[in-house]
Amino acid sequence: MGLNSNVVKKILLSYAYVAIWIFLSFTVIVYNKYILDRKLYNWPFPISLTMIHMSFCSVLAFLLVRVFQVVDSVSMTRDLYISSVIPIGALYSLSLWFSNSAYIYLSVSFIQMLKALMPVAVYSIGVGLKKDVFKSDVMANMIAISLGVAVAAYGEAQFNAWGVFLQLSAVSFEATRLVLIQVLLAAKGISLNPITSLYYIAPCCLVFLSIPWFYVEFPIIRETSSLHFDYPVFLFNSFCAFALNLAVFLLVGKTSALTMNVAGVVKDWLLIAFSWSVIRDTVTEVNLIGYGIAFLGVCYYNHSKLQALKLKEMQKKSTQVGDEEAATRFIQPEINGTKGDESQS
């Protein structure tokens, strides 16, 4: 009975972690859309918004790591910072900048449909950098996802080519960042949780973003006399963005990255429903058919990843059992007080 209750408790906790992550991710996406959309809050400065997030995260991460010491700081040499953190920070800043910019031109529902291309980008870049092995069946799955997204784009009522370019660029930068984390950091045995990640990467992002901000948004902000800055709105928005990073750590750390991928599919459908019912974005039948195809492709991809993980775990266990049996056979004659060759005589 105690074992059953423990299993139930773990399942409930897993669902709780998933629910927290979906809620915060949902909140950040809708909140950013609200701030950046010209028809809503009308503050169309995605670089500035991203810089506000990075400033808030930098300060809070510094306090948690250096002052309150909630988590231990990771040993980071100058060479490692230059060769690994700076490239990852640059890609992260570009991903955030472009993805936030897309909210000005595209609906929330269509952006979620375009994000279905993330597995395609990650796999393609992984193969290109020789992190993943090319497999024809996996590539066929990636093509199916791409075709589904293409159909969804064809049926988009508020299609904007510039917005699609921005979102696809954001997906490409984010996918490259995820692959480089494995290539540059995981390969060296370095693991960063979200707090230490923000501690090292957020200031780097802030520096990178300040360059385009100075030339693109600063002149407009300086000349706009009617610009309003509501501190509570942006402070709470930044806090939600920081909490989302912690939720990612909680979800992946207590469950798995695969669980987050599956939860992401649920979140996307919820956002599409919310975008259609509350924000009143137009979602066409062709949209849903195309995304349905992509959705099935993503589900198959997640299923394949799950099967691969189970196979790897089984092989690991069988190897451990084999090693234990071999060790037992080796020491058994000694335990019996005889040598192996003496027992044959």
Side-chain angles (χ1 to χ4, degrees):
M1 187 67 181
L3 180 62
N4 291 335
S5 63
N6 288 334
V7 171
V8 171
K9 182 179 179 181
K10 288 182 179 179
I11 293 174
L12 291 176
L13 283 175
S14 297
Y15 278 115
Y17 299 141
V18 169
I20 292 170
W21 178 79
I22 289 178
F23 173 77
L24 288 172
S25 181
F26 187 101
T27 302
V28 169
I29 290 171
V30 174
Y31 208 152
N32 287 350
K33 173 66 175 177
Y34 166 75
I35 291 175
L36 294 167
D37 197 301
R38 297 181 188 277
K39 297 178 183 179
L40 299 173
Y41 190 78
N42 191 24
W43 206 81
F45 301 106
I47 306 177
S48 300
L49 181 63
T50 310
M51 289 179 68
I52 292 170
H53 290 171
M54 291 297 101
S55 299
F56 183 87
C57 290
S58 296
V59 172
L60 210 54
F62 177 82
L63 292 174
L64 292 174
V65 174
R66 290 296 184 184
V67 179
F68 300 107
Q69 297 181 349
V70 175
V71 295
D72 296 330
S73 60
V74 177
S75 178
M76 184 72 63
T77 63
R78 180 182 177 183
D79 292 339
L80 182 62
Y81 188 87
I82 294 173
S83 63
S84 300
V85 174
I86 289 180
I88 292 171
L91 289 167
Y92 192 38
S93 62
L94 289 170
S95 172
L96 292 172
W97 170 19
F98 280 61
S99 62
N100 282 335
S101 298
Y103 287 115
I104 300 174
Y105 305 97
L106 302 177
S107 65
V108 170
S109 58
F110 187 44
I111 286 176
Q112 301 314 120
M113 295 177 189
L114 292 175
K115 285 182 179 180
L117 288 170
M118 182 62 74
V120 180
V122 171
Y123 178 72
S124 301
I125 294 170
V127 170
L129 295 178
K130 297 182 178 180
K131 184 64 181 176
D132 281 321
V133 179
F134 177 84
K135 296 180 181 178
S136 57
D137 58 334
V138 178
M139 183 53 68
N141 185 21
M142 298 297 105
I143 293 173
I145 295 173
S146 302
L147 288 175
V149 174
V151 172
Y154 177 78
E156 175 60 22
Q158 301 173 359
F159 185 88
N160 183 289
W162 178 243
V164 171
F165 169 77
L166 289 171
Q167 184 55 47
L168 293 181
S169 298
V171 169
S172 300
F173 288 130
E174 179 63 11
T176 306
R177 182 183 77 90
L178 294 175
V179 174
L180 282 186
I181 287 175
Q182 295 180 348
V183 173
L184 299 178
L185 293 180
K188 298 175 183 178
I190 297 175
S191 178
L192 299 178
N193 62 55
I195 297 178
T196 52
S197 294
L198 291 173
Y199 175 76
Y200 288 109
I201 293 175
C204 183
C205 290
L206 196 58
V207 173
F208 276 110
L209 289 168
S210 64
I211 299 172
W213 176 81
F214 184 79
Y215 292 101
V216 177
E217 292 185 0
F218 176 67
I220 301 174
I221 294 174
R222 184 176 55 185
E223 295 175 3
T224 305
S225 58
S226 60
L227 184 67
H228 59 283
F229 188 90
D230 194 338
Y231 285 95
V233 169
F234 289 95
L235 184 63
F236 186 66
N237 179 245
S238 300
F239 177 79
C240 289
F242 182 83
L244 178 59
N245 280 278
L246 298 185
V248 170
F249 173 65
L250 188 66
L251 181 61
V252 176
K254 299 298 183 180
T255 57
S256 67
L258 186 61
T259 301
M260 191 176 77
N261 289 339
V262 175
V265 173
V266 177
K267 179 205 68 178
D268 290 343
W269 279 111
L270 289 174
L271 280 167
I272 291 172
F274 180 85
S275 177
W276 171 75
S277 61
V278 179
I279 304 179
R280 298 299 180 184
D281 287 333
T282 302
V283 180
T284 66
E285 292 182 0
V286 179
N287 271 149
L288 294 177
I289 291 171
Y291 184 66
I293 296 171
F295 166 74
L296 292 175
V298 173
C299 288
Y300 179 77
Y301 173 77
N302 288 332
H303 173 74
S304 300
K305 295 279 286 184
L306 179 60
Q307 295 302 114
L309 287 173
K310 286 183 177 179
L311 180 61
K312 186 177 180 180
E313 189 66 25
M314 288 175 61
Q315 290 175 343
K316 183 178 178 181
K317 288 182 178 179
S318 63
T319 302
Q320 290 176 346
V321 171
D323 292 342
E324 290 175 359
E325 290 179 350
T328 302
R329 287 195 298 269
F330 179 76
I331 66 174
Q332 190 66 36
E334 296 293 337
I335 294 175
N336 292 335
T338 58
K339 298 287 187 180
D341 55 349
E342 293 174 353
S343 63
Q344 301 295 327
S345 59

